[in-house]
Amino acid sequence: MRALIVDDSRAMRRIVGRILADAGFETVEAGDGQEALDVLASLDGDLPVLACVDWNMPVMDGLTFITQVRKQVQWRSITLMMVTTESEQDRIVRALAAGAHEYLIKPFTGDALVEKLDLLGLLPTPVGDHS
Amino acid sequence: MTIGHEAFTFVRELVRAESAIVLEPGKEYLVESRLVPLARQGGHKDVDAFVAELATRRNPASMRLVVEALTTNETSWFRDTDPFTALRQSVFPTLAKTRTKHEIRVWAAACSSGQEPYSILMTAQDTPEIAGWKIDMLATDLSLEMLERARKGEYSQLEVNRGLPATTLVRHFERAGLNWRINPALAAQVQFRQLNLMRPFPAMGKFDVVFLRNVLIYFDLATKRDILRRVRQVLAPDGHLFLGAAEMTMGVDDAWERVPAGRSSVYRIREEQRTCVP
Ligand SMILES: C[S@@+](CC[C@H](N)C(=O)[O-])C[C@H]1O[C@@H](n2cnc3c(N)ncnc32)[C@H](O)[C@@H]1O
């Protein structure tokens, strides 16, 4: 399974990348929304199942990126998760309305990210009791 | 430096007598680390000195704080997911067919900081079969500190990141400074009360659903058995009991049977053990 990490901070991309790799993802990265759109276009056919998207980035911010992705039918299968320091309620509401499926507020722990993946049904073996 | 043998033994016996929580030898480090803040607050040079004074003066307030410090309050929203799916897809719809007064009584018997009872209420609101019904929700815990937090209903960013879908967060919470506060109307539906599971239960009527999750694990077999037996007395004959993922009734109190519910399971009183009709 492939995941796209969109963040202008290399350190943050590395942190998120490591957590996703441990959860079994192969990752690709982009430093802003426009670069991420280009990456998606170039991946054509072998799309990521998940994109973790920062809000504040140069060139194109995360909200615009999400809005753009949602306009394209061929990208409908991509699960979008905002991963950002933006923590105001109306921000979350806006991101969800634009088409984000989940919203994770920085700073977060690895467990919190994994739990979000579980909520999204993106973990190979969900955490919890399935006995 | 770790806690001395004498101090450990005193704490262990105190905690056992007051909460039934078993602290096996080997848990010295846990006891030490949980008591350091209390020792420091009291101006003692170390945990041994703090416990030595406690053992002589036996101040009830300090003893309570020690017991509370040794409870483990780890919890999360919709913990393990599946029990809540089972509530929504199977338990509530089943109750919807038989509870003609349109009221369901739920007890969260070790509610910690409140995530569990609040998650149950949110789940009830998402169950169309019981739309508009009254959920009579009792939530209890031994720890007064946890009950106070639960009543306040305020959670840090870290806590709301754990298990709470973003749509649920914006629907049921409001920002309160750096924290998030649960919708007051939802909070008002829960009655929080202190209750020690090892003591006889007060009169509280019968419940349709009991959550007794992730607490029996701290007790010895005899205590588990006794609690499960008494829970049977406060559960409606056709009621549902939820235990934690690592807990079961088998070999503890066999008057229960385990029934699959979605990807999870619930416990019900065996037919032949259902003595009285409510
Ligand atoms: C690990 S938490 C479980 C919280 C919640 N039920 C869940 O599953 O997420 C255990 C709780 O049991 C409480 N507890 C421990 N001993 C107890 C006792 N004797 N009576 C009532 N509650 C007790 C603790 O204070 C703590 O809040």
Side-chain angles (χ1 to χ4, degrees):
Chain A
M1 281 201 300
R2 182 173 269 179
L4 170 64
I5 305 165
V6 193
D7 201 306
D8 57 337
S9 150
R10 180 129 60 99
M12 190 47 72
R13 291 201 301 268
R14 203 177 312 130
I15 292 170
V16 174
R18 201 169 299 149
I19 300 166
L20 291 176
D22 285 346
F25 287 89
E26 177 203 331
T27 59
V28 278
E29 300 182 5
D32 64 69
Q34 184 56 53
E35 198 184 322
L37 290 176
D38 297 343
V39 169
L40 286 183
S42 73
L43 284 176
D44 192 60
D46 199 7
L47 288 173
V49 292
L50 168 75
C52 293
V53 188
D54 184 22
W55 192 304
N56 297 302
M57 293 178 290
V59 190
M60 182 191 284
D61 67 26
L63 189 68
T64 312
F65 168 75
I66 284 177
T67 312
Q68 294 298 328
V69 170
R70 278 296 159 254
K71 280 187 187 156
Q72 306 289 330
V73 273
Q74 74 273 24
W75 292 341
R76 201 180 281 159
S77 65
I78 305 173
T79 297
L80 299 169
M81 174 155 69
M82 214 48 152
V83 182
T84 171
T85 49
E86 292 294 334
S87 64
E88 290 308 313
Q89 190 149 7
D90 61 317
R91 290 290 177 129
I92 306 178
V93 173
R94 273 175 72 194
L96 295 173
H101 300 87
E102 259 306 334
Y103 199 105
L104 183 63
I105 298 170
K106 295 175 189 167
F108 55 87
T109 60
D111 284 350
L113 177 50
V114 172
E115 279 172 22
K116 289 288 184 193
L117 297 177
D118 190 23
L119 283 178
L120 292 166
L122 289 177
L123 281 188
T125 41
V127 281
D129 173 25
H130 302 287
S131 47
Chain B
M1 209 212 69
T2 90
I3 189 170
H5 179 68
E6 216 174 300
F8 178 71
T9 308
F10 177 79
V11 172
R12 185 189 153 153
E13 279 166 11
L14 170 69
V15 168
R16 178 80 173 252
E18 296 300 320
S19 72
I21 297 171
V22 180
L23 297 165
E24 302 285 2
K27 297 267 185 180
E28 284 84 355
Y29 173 77
L30 174 86
V31 172
E32 163 93 20
S33 63
R34 298 274 184 91
L35 295 188
V36 162
L38 288 179
R40 225 170 259 156
Q41 266 167 41
H44 298 279
K45 79 174 196 312
D46 55 25
V47 170
D48 279 354
F50 168 64
V51 174
E53 190 191 279
L54 190 72
T56 8
R57 306 249 314 254
R58 296 188 167 261
N59 174 313
S62 310
M63 307 242 270
R64 181 180 68 74
L65 289 178
V66 167
V67 174
E68 289 204 7
L70 283 151
T71 59
T72 298
N73 309 114
E74 166 94 15
T75 188
S76 58
W77 301 96
F78 303 96
R79 184 167 184 173
D80 301 332
T81 319
D82 294 339
F84 297 89
T85 310
L87 263 188
R88 183 165 43 81
Q89 294 183 346
S90 131
V91 172
F92 283 151
T94 304
L95 289 168
K97 291 185 193 135
T98 52
R99 298 307 189 256
T100 49
K101 279 157 84 192
H102 289 198
E103 181 178 327
I104 294 176
R105 298 198 70 223
V106 185
W107 177 27
C111 68
S112 189
S113 37
Q115 283 87 333
E116 180 175 88
Y118 291 136
S119 298
I120 295 171
L121 281 179
M122 293 177 203
T123 305
Q125 288 194 0
D126 277 343
T127 308
E129 288 88 342
I130 54 166
W133 285 39
K134 179 175 190 294
I135 305 295
D136 186 359
M137 176 93 219
L138 174 69
T140 64
D141 199 280
L142 173 69
S143 163
L144 292 175
E145 188 193 334
M146 285 304 125
L147 288 166
E148 196 182 311
R149 289 206 50 203
R151 263 189 214 110
K152 203 165 169 223
E154 244 183 71
Y155 301 92
S156 70
Q157 190 60 61
L158 239 58
E159 289 169 308
V160 297
N161 266 346
R162 298 206 52 195
L164 202 58
T167 43
T168 311
L169 175 68
V170 292
R171 182 164 152 216
H172 294 290
F173 293 77
E174 263 173 32
R175 269 322 273 267
L178 287 176
N179 292 338
W180 290 85
R181 186 184 307 118
I182 194 125
N183 175 349
L186 199 76
Q189 288 182 48
V190 190
Q191 197 202 339
F192 289 103
R193 232 198 276 166
Q194 191 190 28
L195 184 147
N196 189 340
L197 290 167
M198 71 180 284
R199 309 241 190 269
F201 300 153
M204 43 189 190
K206 299 260 185 197
F207 296 95
D208 302 305
V209 178
V210 173
F211 268 58
L212 181 67
R213 303 197 68 223
N214 304 297
V215 62
L216 290 182
I217 35 169
Y218 302 105
F219 305 145
D220 64 21
L221 180 64
T223 308
K224 286 180 189 156
R225 179 170 292 151
D226 177 51
I227 294 172
L228 283 171
R229 182 182 55 78
R230 285 181 292 121
V231 168
R232 272 194 273 135
Q233 295 162 358
V234 297
L235 188 73
D238 61 346
H240 303 73
L241 168 71
F242 285 85
L243 296 179
E247 296 160 330
M248 55 174 140
T249 56
M250 204 175 71
V252 184
D253 179 6
D254 289 315
W256 296 92
E257 66 181 337
R258 181 178 173 144
V259 183
R263 293 199 300 176
S264 163
S265 43
V266 298
Y267 294 85
R268 312 203 59 183
I269 303 169
R270 284 184 199 283
E271 203 91 46
E272 64 274 17
Q273 300 279 349
R274 296 179 189 175
T275 43
C276 54
V277 183

